[in-house]
Amino acid sequence: MVNVIGLGYIGLPTALMLASHGVEVVGTDYNEKVVQSLSAGRMTFKEEGIEELFCAALEAGITFTTDYQKTDTYIISVPTPYDKFSKKVDPAYVVSAVKSVLSVAPKGAVVVIESTISPGTIDKSVRPVIEELGFKPGKDIHLVHAPERIIPGNMVYELLHNNRTIGADDREVGERIKELYASFCQGEIVVTDIRTAEMTKVVENTFRAVNIAFANELAKICRHDGMDVYEIIRICNMHPRVNILQPGPGVGGHCISVDPWFLVGDYPSLAKVIDESMRTNDGMPDFVLERVYEIMRENGLKDISRVGLYGLTYKENVDDVRESPTLQLLESQARHLADGLKVYDPFIEEDLVDNQYHSLDDFLSDVDMVVIMVKHTQIKENMRKLSGKIILDCQNIIDLPNVYHI
Ligand code: SAJ
């Protein structure tokens, strides 16, 4: 039996996938509400294909509890927040989950850490705790790091098809865990050491962050001299060895906007390109706000409360707002004493910010200018409703005349 600890965006889909592929699974979360909801057959977040997977896992017998189980395999997928000032990962949840596991685990159990951690966290923060509690890593307890790579919005497909990395102290244990993931994963599974697995995960997200920062910097250069950044990137990407990502209003989510900071925090004098890239990305919501003021001036629009932000989530077609560029822009707005921007997102039902609308028509009738913040499919579908508005399209998805871009 596998005990999956932490039933969030990563742990839950992984638990469901294992359960629906013949593995006995118990899911544990300290949040009683999450456990109650899942036990009552209600999923806790929206994601393409997740309801079907949830039903299959329930039928296969998955159960949910707040208690840790006595078993031979644990998968820990708890959050790893980072400290915004030191730029370092905070492994407190991982450490606390490991301690709870050790209070019930039999000798010889395998503890797989899926949570993203900065390179060296297992050596610095996990091994000492295991030793303090009287266990010998590699003998009484086996450590594995199996970082997840699925992308919100396409999680179920990617769980099945992505390649995976398993980092283990002991090759034979690594191979055993590889077999476990191979119960559902059709991608290639590489077995390596723990430090390499930790580093690989952070480097992948850093690569994407630096590439997006490059696109954002190009957007600023092109804006300066009236060039079309999208056309320039499109043509450059026709070169067989060039693949530039897209500029946007900022980088959100709990991965690409966070993980690269771990390298900056741990290697401040070495991670120069990464540091500058992260600052470029973090500066984009402010850049968008400056564009809003510029376009308002150009159109004689004086009242910022007649401007609406379309999209509140960190990316398209998900209901996740963690580190979202829209939230960052609203924070900036408060600093610039420019309260009153209106907000609408079809994926967000609860009230998260001031001046938030839950009806697109009401939102549109209260604004003269619309800022497209997210590439939701729904926005493209409703494009005709936007005609007549001043539009700042930060995602280059609106095919109407006289649209402004970043
Ligand atoms: N973005 C751009 N321009 C682009 C692409 C993305 O501005 O060309 C923005 C998005 O709008 C969003 C942010 O970047 O705000 C991040 O979105 P994303 O779709 O690039 O990535 P995430 O954060 O949803 O998921 C990433 C993925 N990592 C990589 O692609 C290397 C995913 O595979 C990881 O599993 C995930 O991080 C994670 O959990 O670490």
Side-chain angles (χ1 to χ4, degrees), residues 160-293:
L160 288 169
H161 297 279
N162 280 3
N163 301 326
R164 305 190 69 108
T165 314
I166 307 282
D169 291 333
D170 180 312
R171 184 90 207 173
E172 191 264 327
V173 172
E175 292 295 334
R176 240 164 56 211
I177 296 303
K178 174 176 169 174
E179 283 311 305
L180 176 66
Y181 283 101
S183 64
F184 64 84
C185 172
Q186 298 165 27
E188 189 179 331
I189 305 178
V190 177
V191 178
T192 181
D193 60 90
I194 285 184
R195 191 65 178 252
T196 304
E198 288 174 323
M199 187 66 177
T200 311
K201 164 73 194 191
V202 172
V203 167
E204 289 162 1
N205 281 348
T206 303
F207 172 77
R208 198 159 165 86
V210 171
N211 193 335
I212 295 169
F214 178 59
N216 285 333
E217 188 163 289
L218 289 179
K220 288 182 177 174
I221 293 172
C222 291
R223 166 69 33 227
H224 190 74
D225 264 334
M227 295 178 271
D228 180 347
V229 69
Y230 301 104
E231 182 64 354
I232 290 165
I233 290 177
R234 190 182 73 79
I235 296 170
C236 291
N237 283 349
M238 291 167 78
H239 185 291
R241 282 172 295 284
V242 175
N243 184 16
I244 307 168
L245 289 170
Q246 295 297 307
V251 170
H254 190 59
C255 310
I256 294 191
S257 68
V258 173
D259 299 357
W261 283 124
F262 299 163
L263 294 176
V264 177
D266 285 344
Y267 306 97
S269 63
L270 300 174
K272 298 288 189 200
V273 172
I274 303 168
D275 189 3
E276 202 47 56
S277 300
M278 295 303 279
R279 288 176 204 282
T280 300
N281 291 340
D282 285 355
M284 289 313 286
D286 266 340
F287 183 71
V288 172
L289 194 54
E290 279 166 28
R291 277 295 282 150
V292 169
Y293 285 127

